[in-house]
Amino acid sequence: MEDGNPAVDIRIVLFTMVEGRLLVALHGDICRPALPRAAPGATASLDVEARRIVQVTTALHEQYLEQLYTVNARDESGWAIVIAYLGLICSGPEAPPLDGGWYAVGVLPTIGETDRRVIDYALARLRAKLGYTTIAFHLLPQTFTLSELQGAYEAILGRALDKRNFRRRLVAAKILESTETQRRDRSHRPALLYRFRASHDRETFLTPSWAGGA
Amino acid sequence: MEDGNPAVDIRIVLFTMVEGRLLVALHGDICRPALPRAAPGATASLDVEARRIVQVTTALHEQYLEQLYTVNARDESGWAIVIAYLGLICSGPEAPPLDGGWYAVGVLPTIGETDRRVIDYALARLRAKLGYTTIAFHLLPQTFTLSELQGAYEAILGRALDKRNFRRRLVAAKILESTETQRRDRSHRPALLYRFRASHDRETFLTPSWAGGA
DNA sequence: GCAAAAGTGTTGTGTATACACCCATGG
DNA sequence: CCATGGGTGTATACACAACACTTTTGC
């Protein structure tokens, strides 16, 4: 911040879902964890740079990336502009390795004030978008049971949902199709596996109600 | 963009409403109009800086200011980060003077690609927020008739609304209170004047439906 | 009395919510 | 046979959309 342009800093709130819990990636050693971040170069676009941060942080490519908000922070080293992103990746049965760690939201370690605000905002946005987009799908593998999907919703929202209403809504939205296969899990009736319909290419279905009414 | 930090540029999409038309402020001479803008200093916060731009552009203080989105632009002088804001001000019977001009949305002059994208986005956001916030009030004076309010909605949305449904909805929201006074306008029945209830301090009422349901 | 805007109700339709039981399996 | 999660239907309340006529005023 010596002269001219203020410092700019891209930070990613990277969520994943493991065993029905929503986790955030925090970078760095145990005593000073922080959101993955980088300063944008003079050549790459913001979105490209954000994507690069995800790839550097974990080996995986992100499934979903969305800009959240730009704030200014007076965090450690002076005054900076922070451009926050929300990223979602789908883990397998365990979270991918990371130079840092994955933390359950709500049980976060001590982090900077700005990082906390950004995470809160990212979570609020994610919750909101559950209601009118297919965003949750980016946290799940290609095929999944309806109970797994419902579990993801519940983990994000932090409250229980009614099973019948949930299923009815998803069916009504016509964004799922059942693979014929079942998964036999443990000692109970096997569950049907579903996948997303290719026609809804994981991005559309953004039609808030107020888009066309009196 | 010589080294280090990229250039940062705050731009404001400043709307006002005059005679039932939604206008945007464009700065600069006729042949090169552009959105009002400034580079943030190293001291002021983004929001403060955005507010200052509004005050410099018009004499008025803005009524409403909201950050929209951050994009990167390769507009005229290289690569820059553009932080876009949405601003609303309430004009009287005519738009306030301006070093530049007010243009009806939809009949904009030739402007930069980035400016156009930002204006489109601002308009989309404004339209969306009509549905679940009291944002439109910032375009109107302290007291107003229901027809004026409906006219503002229609100008923003670009389509007609049903008078009865509109009034019923506003009444149901319980954000209006009638002043006892009437306004006699021309040769027709006088209209009741309304104002916003102080309890809803022009900002709350942000309760999307998905905030609490199965 | 006429033009012009203000104001007012009802009905149908769809969407969200609450709620309880039977089914298929592994052990 | 029992424990576990998978799967199903109905009744109710509310929100939204469509729709037409009477009222008050200035001229």
Side-chain angles (χ1 to χ4, degrees):
Chain A
M1 61 186 256
E2 303 113 18
D3 74 325
N5 304 321
V8 179
D9 187 16
I10 299 180
R11 303 191 190 176
I12 317 272
V13 182
L14 189 61
F15 288 118
T16 197
M17 179 81 60
V18 172
E19 288 173 357
R21 282 145 51 91
L22 186 67
L23 306 178
V24 194
L26 293 179
H27 186 88
D29 56 29
I30 285 277
C31 35
R32 278 203 158 278
L35 288 176
R37 67 191 64 187
T43 77
S45 85
L46 294 173
D47 292 357
V48 169
E49 180 63 27
R51 196 166 293 127
R52 204 185 58 77
I53 296 174
V54 175
Q55 286 169 24
V56 167
T57 304
T58 79
L60 292 97
H61 288 230
E62 89 291 346
Q63 323 287 301
Y64 180 87
L65 195 57
E66 175 194 356
Q67 192 193 109
L68 283 175
Y69 206 76
T70 302
V71 297
N72 31 23
R74 184 171 273 293
D75 243 13
E76 305 93 23
S77 52
W79 190 90
I81 290 177
V82 171
I83 305 174
Y85 275 78
L86 166 66
L88 304 180
I89 65 176
C90 162
S91 300
E94 53 193 300
L98 175 68
D99 178 6
W102 293 95
Y103 296 83
V105 299
V107 206
L108 292 179
T110 306
I111 55 178
E113 171 61 20
T114 302
D115 278 1
R116 180 168 302 273
R117 285 217 321 278
V118 167
I119 292 173
D120 285 350
Y121 186 62
L123 186 55
R125 178 95 134 234
L126 180 58
R127 281 180 177 154
K129 283 211 160 184
L130 281 189
Y132 58 98
T133 69
T134 59
I135 193 173
F137 301 153
H138 302 282
L139 290 167
L140 292 178
Q142 288 263 276
T143 70
F144 49 87
T145 69
L146 286 182
S147 293
E148 285 168 346
L149 182 60
Q150 182 175 345
Y153 272 69
E154 290 176 333
I156 295 169
L157 292 172
R159 68 191 156 92
L161 299 175
D162 182 273
K163 190 169 28 164
R164 286 163 292 187
N165 292 336
F166 181 81
R167 293 161 110 91
R168 175 174 31 249
R169 171 189 301 202
L170 269 289
V171 170
K174 286 190 287 203
I175 51 183
L176 295 181
E177 66 186 8
S178 93
T179 72
E180 297 299 305
T181 60
Q182 297 183 332
R183 171 188 302 167
R184 53 196 66 244
D185 205 10
R186 273 174 295 167
S187 158
H188 55 78
R189 175 171 175 177
L192 269 176
L193 287 171
Y194 289 82
R195 84 166 74 86
F196 298 104
R197 297 182 57 181
S199 56
H200 298 76
D201 58 334
R202 302 199 147 209
E203 199 55 43
T204 29
F205 192 53
L206 304 154
T207 323
S209 60
W210 23 259
Chain B
M1 60 184 259
E2 301 113 20
D3 73 325
N5 304 320
V8 178
D9 187 15
I10 299 179
R11 303 192 191 177
I12 317 273
V13 183
L14 189 61
F15 288 118
T16 196
M17 179 82 60
V18 171
E19 288 173 355
R21 282 146 49 92
L22 186 67
L23 307 178
V24 194
L26 292 179
H27 185 91
D29 57 28
I30 286 278
C31 35
R32 279 205 158 276
L35 287 175
R37 68 188 65 185
T43 77
S45 84
L46 295 172
D47 292 357
V48 169
E49 180 63 27
R51 196 166 292 127
R52 203 185 60 77
I53 297 174
V54 176
Q55 285 168 25
V56 168
T57 305
T58 78
L60 292 96
H61 289 229
E62 89 291 347
Q63 322 287 300
Y64 180 86
L65 195 58
E66 174 193 355
Q67 193 192 108
L68 284 174
Y69 206 74
T70 303
V71 297
N72 33 22
R74 185 171 271 294
D75 243 14
E76 304 95 21
S77 51
W79 190 90
I81 291 177
V82 171
I83 305 174
Y85 275 78
L86 166 66
L88 305 180
I89 65 176
C90 162
S91 300
E94 52 193 301
L98 175 67
D99 178 7
W102 293 95
Y103 296 84
V105 300
V107 205
L108 292 179
T110 306
I111 53 178
E113 171 62 18
T114 301
D115 279 0
R116 180 167 303 273
R117 284 217 320 277
V118 167
I119 292 173
D120 285 349
Y121 185 63
L123 186 54
R125 179 95 135 233
L126 179 58
R127 282 180 176 153
K129 284 211 159 185
L130 281 189
Y132 59 101
T133 69
T134 60
I135 194 173
F137 300 153
H138 302 282
L139 290 167
L140 293 177
Q142 288 264 276
T143 70
F144 48 87
T145 69
L146 286 182
S147 293
E148 284 168 348
L149 182 59
Q150 181 176 345
Y153 272 69
E154 290 176 334
I156 296 168
L157 293 172
R159 66 191 157 93
L161 299 176
D162 182 272
K163 188 167 29 161
R164 287 164 291 187
N165 292 335
F166 181 81
R167 293 160 110 92
R168 175 172 30 252
R169 171 190 301 203
L170 269 288
V171 169
K174 286 191 287 202
I175 51 182
L176 295 181
E177 68 187 4
S178 93
T179 72
E180 296 300 302
T181 61
Q182 296 182 334
R183 171 188 301 168
R184 55 195 64 245
D185 206 12
R186 275 175 295 167
S187 161
H188 55 78
R189 175 170 174 175
L192 269 177
L193 286 171
Y194 289 82
R195 85 166 74 86
F196 298 104
R197 296 182 58 179
S199 56
H200 298 75
D201 60 333
R202 302 200 146 209
E203 200 54 43
T204 29
F205 191 53
L206 305 153
T207 322
S209 60
W210 23 259

